Amino acid sequence: MPRGILGRKLGMTQVFNDQGHIVPVTVIEAGPCVVVQRRSRERDGYEAIQVGFGPTKEQRVNRPLKGHFARAGVAPVRHLREFRVEDSAAYEVGQILGVDMFRPGDTVDVVGRSKGKGFAGGVRRHGFKRGPMAHGSKYHRGVGSLASRAGARVFKGRRMPGHLGAERVTVRGLKVVEVDADRNLLILKGAVPGPRGGLVSIREAKATRREKV
Amino acid sequence: MVEMVKLVEGKHMKDAIPEFRPGDTVRVSFKVVEGGRERVQPFEGIVIKRRGSGMSETFTVRRVTYGVGVERTFPLHSPRLEGVTVLRQGQVRRSRLYYLRERLGKAARVKERKR
């Protein structure tokens, strides 16, 4: 059964593995999450569970959401996300999901919102090469040619400067290094999208990566 | 938030590390895996720098063997680091002793610090 949980990125550090090698890790405060709603094939066309995470104040919740929480009989939460499951009937509304669903050694995918980088040029946004900064060059960090003259126009999809970051990013195949169920901490090898304090959803890896030797 | 990260680090950190600083002469006992078995390899020399903080702190030890300068950097909290013994305390006026690299023999000495 696919597993998933919501969490908050706390920051990165490093730990040593059993061989004494340094492993870069991200610490995530994951869960406890509550099941707020079930989606079924008959009613919604797909199977999923809606999961809530993070306490919030009563006054921060608008009326429609208040009703939504009241129907589920759960306390209001700050974030709601859905996770696809094979059979939503296996879950109960109000059920609590904790980090203990993961074990060290599991592989997971992490979805988050990347840090916003504002309006960025082609070099930073698309990895274009820049021109010489001196020796009489007047071409420094510009985009260069947009197309050939024969097209007589700029084709759609031309990579240009624009807004970078603050978008949904999925990082696949991260290894679970440690699980601390008492403190709701999940420690993953590698980096995770978003700033410290950002919401991330963690689910079982969809594809398993070949073991690196 | 950061406190929680520190907490995770704390579990892996060493609690008993002798005080030493750049200029000190130390003997480092470091475990190495050699042909499938572990043994302790000592390394002796002058500490030329300490960098980083918390879990990621490292220090570099320099020694000259057979006329060749050897520098090794150790993670302070590595489980393979058995221990550090301070053999001699040095009196130095900077935190990075890179100037020792350009010196040989007598010129590469560090004055002893009086307690």
Side-chain angles (χ1 to χ4, degrees):
Chain A
M1 183 160 30
R3 299 167 291 177
I5 198 169
L6 297 175
R8 192 164 72 114
K9 173 172 166 180
L10 295 181
M12 289 194 72
T13 179
Q14 56 185 38
V15 297
F16 293 95
N17 67 8
D18 46 2
Q19 279 144 46
H21 294 162
I22 289 167
V23 180
V25 293
T26 307
V27 183
I28 295 168
E29 182 187 10
C33 291
V34 60
V35 178
V36 181
Q37 202 178 33
R38 293 186 297 195
R39 304 237 184 248
S40 62
R41 184 151 287 124
E42 300 78 54
R43 219 171 70 92
D44 309 286
Y46 62 99
E47 295 280 327
I49 50 170
Q50 190 185 63
V51 167
F53 170 66
T56 186
K57 287 181 183 163
E58 199 78 36
Q59 78 231 28
R60 297 248 168 89
V61 184
N62 64 20
R63 282 231 174 139
L65 268 180
K66 255 182 200 159
H68 182 61
F69 290 126
R71 185 185 305 190
V74 299
V77 289
R78 194 151 159 207
H79 305 286
L80 288 172
R81 290 288 185 279
E82 281 185 11
F83 286 102
R84 289 293 188 100
V85 292
E86 266 150 44
D87 180 21
S88 61
Y91 294 87
E92 289 294 327
V93 169
Q95 189 183 336
I96 305 291
L97 307 174
V99 255
D100 47 349
M101 66 169 78
F102 294 114
R103 297 261 159 262
D106 289 352
T107 42
V108 294
D109 296 342
V110 179
V111 183
R113 185 157 287 262
S114 62
K115 280 184 188 173
K117 309 225 183 304
F119 193 98
V123 175
R124 186 161 155 82
R125 191 173 184 220
H126 302 297
F128 290 170
K129 288 185 176 63
R130 63 159 172 78
M133 300 312 271
H135 299 295
S137 166
K138 288 180 181 175
Y139 173 60
H140 301 311
R141 295 175 66 97
V143 286
S145 170
L146 295 186
S148 77
R149 198 175 149 186
R153 64 191 177 94
V154 175
F155 293 105
K156 275 189 178 172
R158 172 83 246 158
R159 290 177 298 168
M160 282 202 240
H163 190 266
L164 175 66
E167 58 177 8
R168 180 189 160 101
V169 174
T170 307
V171 175
R172 295 175 140 199
L174 297 183
K175 270 248 152 56
V176 176
V177 175
E178 223 175 288
V179 176
D180 186 340
D182 297 332
R183 298 199 186 91
N184 294 314
L185 295 181
L186 187 62
I187 296 155
L188 304 179
K189 179 182 175 184
V192 150
R196 281 187 295 254
L199 177 76
V200 288
S201 52
I202 304 121
R203 59 156 199 249
E204 205 174 349
K206 284 194 171 162
T208 42
R209 197 151 47 170
R210 245 172 285 135
E211 192 69 29
K212 243 198 282 183
V213 186
Chain B
M1 233 159 44
V2 176
E3 295 69 41
M4 297 282 264
V5 176
K6 289 249 166 71
L7 213 81
V8 175
E9 285 180 346
K11 249 193 298 186
H12 295 263
M13 266 157 74
K14 288 215 168 96
D15 19 62
I17 294 165
E19 198 181 299
F20 67 95
R21 39 180 168 171
D24 293 355
T25 305
V26 294
R27 178 184 289 130
V28 181
S29 317
F30 201 67
K31 268 189 265 179
V32 286
V33 178
E34 212 173 49
R37 58 180 207 96
E38 240 175 37
R39 67 178 192 92
V40 174
Q41 186 184 60
F43 189 80
E44 213 176 295
I46 298 172
V47 178
I48 61 164
K49 80 166 152 181
R50 276 183 81 155
R51 66 154 286 281
S53 63
M55 192 66 196
S56 54
E57 185 168 352
T58 64
F59 63 98
T60 302
V61 179
R62 176 181 171 86
R63 74 170 300 180
V64 178
T65 34
Y66 302 109
V68 181
V70 178
E71 283 178 19
R72 283 194 71 175
T73 303
F74 302 96
L76 194 59
H77 294 282
S78 170
R80 275 161 59 176
L81 187 73
E82 289 271 87
V84 181
T85 347
V86 182
L87 304 174
R88 184 172 169 273
Q89 292 187 316
Q91 175 69 53
V92 289
R93 301 181 70 161
R94 57 210 70 218
S95 62
R96 305 283 140 107
L97 308 181
Y98 299 141
Y99 66 87
L100 292 178
R101 290 173 179 166
E102 286 129 43
R103 299 196 184 177
L104 282 170
K106 268 191 170 183
R109 284 173 308 173
V110 168
K111 227 192 286 171
E112 183 145 15
R113 189 165 82 233
K114 296 281 175 272
R115 261 169 269 213

